[in-house]
Amino acid sequence: MEHTVKAVDDQLNAMTRDLAAMGDLAVAQVRAAIDVFLRHDLTAAAKVVRGDDALDLQDADIERRAVRFIALHQPMADDLRRPIAAMKIAMQLERCGDLAKNIAKRVGRMDAPADADQAEPVAGLGRLAAERLSSVVDAYRASDAQGAYNVWVRDTEIDELHEKVLAGLIEAMARESRALGDFAHLLFIAKNLERIGDHATNIAELVHYQITGADLADRPKL
Amino acid sequence: MNAATQLRSPAVSTPLPLAIPGAIPGTTDAQIRAQVSDLNFWYGKFQALHGVSMPIHDRQVTAIIGPSGCGKSTLLRCFNRIHDLYLGVRYEGAIELMPDRLNLVGKAVDPILVRLMVGMVFQKPNPFPKSIFENVASGLYVRGIRNKGEVEGRVEHALKQAAIWDEVSDRLKKPAYELSGGQQQRLCIARALAPEPKLLLLDEPTSALDPIATAKIESLIDDLAEQVTIVIVTHNMGQAARISDHTAFMHLGKLVEFGETEQIFTSPQAEQTRDYVTGRYG
């Protein structure tokens, strides 16, 4: 049912639309960072770093609008949950952007491109994290609680893959003479990608809460 | 007509008990002070309440919300039998006052006794055209309490409970009409508290007040809830959310949803409740 005050629906819908667009940008930044890493493209890396500014601005904008909405309309029930969830989701997306930027910066600091047999598993982890982030942004846009739950319940897959990637890198560190600094960057990049998966899961919880008003139980842990 | 006016019954000539006979003092927060059970109410042939059942938790604030004409004020006025002032009204079901399960709407129960146990404050401040002191003392006189020292002590206590003592202690003999609207309403609350009611009913007590006076009343309700069980009808949903522990949402004379206030205002279960609290009703 439409709100008696049209501005309430208008402002909430605009917030949802713009936050979903911010989500698309965060997904694009993560995918671009993975691509930069695989291709060791320093020019593209600089673009990813610059691209993060837009996410910071959008996060601040969503927060400002949510606070203003709550102050002016004193919303209840799902009208209250929507701006609260929007603020928190924007913060999670902004953190994903920071992690993507960090990956791009690390590419620039590596002495040489990673070998394919080490880079590919890390990129695979990144593709999985980006896919989960994309799915949860879609669930948010479509107000799809089941879609959010599907992302949430599969969080351990990213954790398991991360553990596997770490084990492979540690093995490679033991047998290769390559500079340890580059391996450290690879470990941090893998950790960043795993953290992006965690943020996707956090967003899934927020989307589920926004739609149903109920918290998801403690997520399965490795 | 004011409930307190009704208390001026010539039939009451001896002090009435301050406590319900057989009542067990010292109930805990978890206990139920009153239980509404399958309550139906008619104004003549019009049925205004349909099978309402809900608990009233002891020393907590219960808010009743709903659109105009939903029956919330009708329900509130059943608690002190104020409907009995009009011809052709009829109750079915029960409002049992715990722990002795006295049915407040029972035919055999004297409405005057009910009103001594259930105080009420209305939308618009309605002090009597008397002094501040006499306003608060009036309920005590009805009880037959005439001892000067006891009356003075109880008046002071009630004015302190209503957080207005500091503002009126030096002008108790002045007319109540000299007070501001917010002060008059707190005086009315003091008047309702003086006879030490088991329940305090508030019917939109701040709708005629400015935001500062409203805030003072809300703060007062918060403090009073530690001492007395409060049922409040309000159109201000922010107020219901701020001051109540439990909320009942009514529509067309029926109780749609009852629950903890936090749940009603953040995750209502019924679609009608959700539409109302978010402003989508209508």
Side-chain angles (χ1 to χ4, degrees):
Chain A
M1 191 183 283
E2 286 182 2
H3 199 283
T4 314
V5 180
K6 190 171 170 290
V8 169
D9 282 337
D10 290 348
Q11 289 173 22
L12 283 174
N13 292 338
M15 209 182 307
T16 300
R17 184 192 63 224
D18 293 347
L19 182 55
M22 179 185 176
D24 291 340
L25 179 59
V27 171
Q29 283 284 96
V30 172
R31 287 191 168 135
I34 297 163
D35 189 53
V36 159
F37 163 69
L38 274 177
R39 294 191 293 111
H40 201 75
D41 181 342
L42 300 187
T43 309
K47 200 175 158 195
V48 171
V49 171
R50 285 197 305 277
D52 186 53
D53 291 347
L55 286 174
D56 292 345
L57 289 173
Q58 287 173 14
D59 174 35
D61 180 55
I62 292 290
E63 182 179 325
R64 180 187 58 76
R65 285 158 65 182
V67 168
R68 186 170 185 274
F69 179 85
I70 292 167
L72 294 187
H73 299 294
Q74 299 177 16
M76 299 288 185
D78 46 343
D79 285 353
L80 174 61
R81 299 198 301 269
R82 282 177 74 178
I84 296 286
M87 271 195 291
K88 291 185 163 190
I89 290 171
M91 195 170 72
Q92 299 285 329
L93 292 171
E94 189 272 333
R95 287 293 302 138
C96 289
D98 286 348
L99 293 165
K101 179 170 80 171
N102 185 270
I103 291 169
K105 280 183 174 175
R106 288 184 184 281
V107 170
R109 290 179 199 151
M110 288 172 74
D111 292 337
D115 293 342
D117 60 340
Q118 289 148 18
E120 188 47 44
V122 174
L125 175 66
R127 282 191 287 270
L128 185 59
E131 184 251 311
R132 293 293 154 79
L133 189 61
S134 175
S135 295
V136 84
V137 168
D138 289 345
Y140 173 73
R141 181 183 279 112
S143 218
D144 175 9
Q146 184 61 46
Y149 177 80
N150 292 343
V151 170
W152 179 81
V153 82
R154 295 171 71 189
D155 180 56
T156 50
E157 290 177 17
I158 291 182
D159 294 342
E160 283 166 2
L161 186 55
H162 177 239
E163 290 292 324
K164 229 190 247 181
V165 169
L166 278 191
L169 288 174
I170 289 165
E171 262 184 46
M173 286 166 77
R175 71 170 181 265
E176 291 194 18
S177 56
R178 184 191 169 107
L180 279 179
D182 279 2
F183 274 115
H185 286 304
L186 284 176
L187 291 171
F188 276 117
I189 288 169
K191 184 64 190 169
N192 285 354
L193 294 169
E194 186 267 339
R195 287 294 302 141
I196 288 168
D198 285 343
H199 287 300
T201 310
N202 292 342
I203 294 170
E205 289 173 355
L206 290 163
V207 171
H208 189 273
Y209 169 75
Q210 178 196 292
I211 298 166
T212 66
D215 290 327
L216 286 165
D218 288 342
R219 79 177 81 144
K221 296 274 185 208
L222 266 184
Chain B
M1 189 177 288
N2 184 276
T5 309
Q6 295 308 302
L7 298 180
R8 296 172 168 275
S9 165
V12 181
S13 55
T14 53
L16 286 162
L18 285 173
I20 307 165
I24 300 166
T27 51
T28 67
D29 284 351
Q31 288 181 314
I32 303 299
R33 169 49 77 184
Q35 176 66 47
V36 183
S37 302
D38 199 19
L39 183 68
N40 296 282
F41 178 79
W42 286 263
Y43 292 109
K45 289 183 179 172
F46 174 70
Q47 185 171 1
L49 296 178
H50 298 260
V52 174
S53 297
M54 59 187 267
I56 304 296
H57 293 262
D58 186 45
R59 279 174 284 171
Q60 293 195 358
V61 180
T62 300
I64 307 173
I65 62 169
S68 295
C70 72
K72 56 188 185 300
S73 287
T74 299
L75 173 59
L76 191 76
R77 287 154 189 251
C78 289
F79 280 88
N80 73 343
R81 299 272 294 274
I82 215 168
H83 297 301
D84 291 25
L85 301 171
Y86 305 99
L87 290 174
V89 298
R90 184 159 62 92
Y91 306 88
E92 272 182 14
I95 301 177
E96 292 176 308
L97 197 63
M98 302 300 181
D100 61 345
R101 311 196 72 162
L102 179 74
N103 183 6
L104 297 176
V105 297
K107 283 180 183 158
V109 177
D110 182 358
I112 300 297
L113 175 66
V114 170
R115 289 172 204 147
L116 284 171
M117 293 189 291
V118 184
M120 188 158 185
V121 174
F122 295 82
Q123 186 172 354
K124 201 175 161 195
N126 57 352
F128 300 143
K130 294 185 169 203
S131 71
I132 292 166
F133 182 91
E134 289 297 318
N135 262 271
V136 184
S138 59
L140 301 172
Y141 296 153
V142 173
R143 279 191 180 281
I145 299 169
R146 296 283 176 182
N147 177 282
K148 192 171 175 244
E150 184 177 359
V151 169
E152 285 177 355
R154 284 175 180 262
V155 167
E156 180 177 337
H157 179 63
L159 288 168
K160 283 179 175 167
Q161 275 187 301
I164 192 175
W165 173 253
D166 291 344
E167 295 163 57
V168 300
S169 60
D170 59 347
R171 48 175 171 155
L172 293 174
K173 302 296 179 192
K174 295 275 187 184
Y177 284 132
E178 289 185 3
L179 298 174
S180 71
Q183 288 173 325
Q184 286 184 19
Q185 193 65 312
R186 278 181 284 145
L187 178 68
C188 291
I189 291 175
R191 188 175 67 193
L193 289 171
E196 298 183 357
K198 303 297 169 197
L199 283 177
L200 179 62
L201 311 177
L202 305 174
D203 192 357
E204 299 186 48
T206 63
S207 60
L209 304 181
D210 68 31
I212 301 297
T214 296
K216 284 184 180 173
I217 297 280
E218 288 186 5
S219 173
L220 170 60
I221 291 169
D222 204 37
D223 293 340
L224 282 177
E226 293 173 8
Q227 305 158 50
V228 64
T229 304
I230 295 172
V231 185
I232 180 171
V233 162
T234 178
H235 274 297
N236 182 337
M237 273 177 297
Q239 180 172 79
R242 283 191 296 274
I243 65 173
S244 71
D245 302 288
H246 290 85
T247 296
F249 170 64
M250 294 188 66
H251 187 227
L252 298 175
K254 293 177 182 168
L255 179 67
V256 175
E257 187 167 353
F258 175 86
E260 290 186 3
T261 295
E262 183 180 339
Q263 176 256 314
I264 294 287
F265 285 102
T266 59
S267 307
Q269 299 302 299
E271 188 72 21
Q272 281 176 309
T273 314
R274 180 253 177 207
D275 285 344
Y276 184 70
V277 300
T278 59
R280 287 177 168 75
Y281 176 81

